[in-house]
Amino acid sequence: MASGPPTSAALAAELVALERMLHAPSVRGDVQRLANLLDEAFSEIGCSGRCYSRAQMLRHLPEDATDVNIEAECFVVTLLAAGLA
């Protein structure tokens, strides 16, 4: 369950659209587009439990760009602090 102040519908829609961009093979295969989307402090914990850094993602995502079919839904966007979701 999400906590924190609710986000605006426009902000939630923008964040979901940006997340979905990362699922597109054309974006995953383009290091520059990935670099523009991933924050310098980006990290991700995969389903294996392993943590991946931004540098690792920029190095490996383009290699797997065409072998992926990502379906994501039921996004929840929560405002963590003023200006941070």
Side-chain angles (χ1 to χ4, degrees), residues 7-19 77:
T7 59
S8 72
L11 174 59
E14 180 180 359
L15 293 174
V16 168
L18 290 169
E19 177 66 26
V77 179

Side-chain angles (χ1 to χ4, degrees), residues 79-84:
L79 194 60
L80 301 174
L84 179 65

